[in-house]
Amino acid sequence: MWKVQLFKLNYDNKEIEAVTEVLESAWITMGQKTRDFEAGFSSLLGHDSKCLAVSNGTAALHLALLALDIKAGDEVITPGLTFIADQNVVTMVGATNVLSDITSRDDWSMAPADIEKKITDKTKAVLVVHYAGFACDMDAICDICKRHNLYLIEDCAHTPGADYKGRPLGTFGDVAAFSFFTNKNLSVGEGGAVVTSDEVLYKKLLGLRSHGMSVPSFDRFKGRAISYDVEIPGLNYRIDEMRAALGLVQLEKLEVANKARQKLVLHYYERLDGQLKINIPFRRFSRGNPNYHIMPILLDDSIDRLHVIESMKEDGIQTSIHYPEIQEFSAYKDTVNPTPIAQYVSKHELTLPLYPTMTIEEVDLVCDALIKGVS
């Protein structure tokens, strides 16, 4: 049994009541709760954002690529340090991944200079990830995309509530993809959203999400339509009403939960600053307000990470790695380019527990176990 888990749900009776209300309504697939959640999430982002809730974050990424007509023969510049969903969706549409390295061992965001270096006449889009909820240098990246006439896709799996110089992340790209997976700041189990401010792209995404049908099932249920047309080939990437209801509750909790995360992270900084064998990325971050999605650290070359993981496990502390090297996965070992700084981080990164209901005392337990493990 863990003394401190990597993550715990920030749930209470409000989530139970929200799901119960849906079950009692007798309509559990995409309907009014979904529309309410989409409206609420669009309002959170502002900037004319139009949100479509979908089945998961990977679906959101896939829809973004499909809506932008990215296909075989195209290249997409993707992050060298990220969850593999970014590379998988590019591969699934037949395009080629070109990995961009991160900026430094202190700043794990995609390096604008390396992005520009990787552009060829086949490049169609740049896909950025705001790692751990810390914004990339969006001024520089937006400028690169504009000068080279490239689409910009934001992977915002880590970002609800975070901003770049006061502007919400997810409002810079042509399309943004969000994840509401269990361990995310806004958690519904499985779920996501695809967001755009472009009306043409929004209508295309709307069709792609639901079989290309002109009329949603909910409208037919309500008697607002009898039949439908199929306007484009589409998929079934719809969310359901239970998860949309959970999303509405989580949306209400988001600001307070992110502030709780910040308080915990600041205590981590206080405990770990000055530990010579531990480096904390984004320590002097100044590009905006992060939402502190995870608590990553970088272990010194002299430290055996596996030993630290096992030592902390013996002390009841759960840890993780964000993320293994893309270049070492069987599916990508011989198909993607090196990213030396990101690969170094992948070999030495360790993720410590972080969740809104965590206590300062639990942070101390984690830090005590970590310092013991690296000693």
Side-chain angles (χ1 to χ4, degrees), residues 23-88:
L23 295 175
E24 290 175 346
S25 77
W27 183 263
I28 62 174
T29 192
M30 196 171 65
Q32 191 58 49
K33 291 292 185 184
T34 301
R35 292 177 179 179
D36 292 344
F37 176 64
E38 289 172 342
F41 199 73
S42 296
S43 179
L44 173 72
L45 298 177
H47 297 272
D48 298 320
S49 298
K50 297 176 178 65
C51 165
L52 287 173
V54 295
S55 52
N56 54 65
T58 306
L61 288 166
H62 191 201
L63 289 174
L65 296 177
L66 293 173
L68 296 173
D69 196 30
I70 293 169
K71 55 188 182 303
D74 295 331
E75 291 178 353
V76 180
I77 297 174
T78 57
L81 182 66
T82 189
F83 182 58
I84 200 61
D86 289 325
Q87 284 72 41
N88 282 347

Side-chain angles (χ1 to χ4, degrees), residues 9 14 45 78 96 103 126 136 152-153 171 197 204 220 228 233 268 271 275 280 286 297-298 330 335 342 345 358 366:
L9 282 171
K14 289 181 179 178
L45 298 177
T78 57
T96 299
T103 300
V126 174
C136 293
L152 175 59
I153 304 166
T171 65
S197 60
K204 191 172 182 182
R220 300 198 301 279
Y228 58 87
Y268 267 121
R271 285 294 316 271
Q275 292 292 326
I280 302 173
S286 61
I297 61 171
L298 191 66
S330 299
T335 64
V345 167
M358 190 178 183
V366 175

Side-chain angles (χ1 to χ4, degrees), residues 347-362:
K347 288 184 174 74
H348 300 277
E349 191 273 344
L350 186 66
T351 304
L352 306 179
L354 181 65
Y355 45 90
T357 58
M358 190 178 183
T359 66
I360 293 294
E361 291 73 23
E362 287 173 323

Side-chain angles (χ1 to χ4, degrees), residues 36 62 108 166-167 217-218 248 305:
D36 292 344
H62 191 201
W108 297 0
R167 179 170 175 169
S217 301
F218 187 60
L248 281 165
R305 181 171 62 181

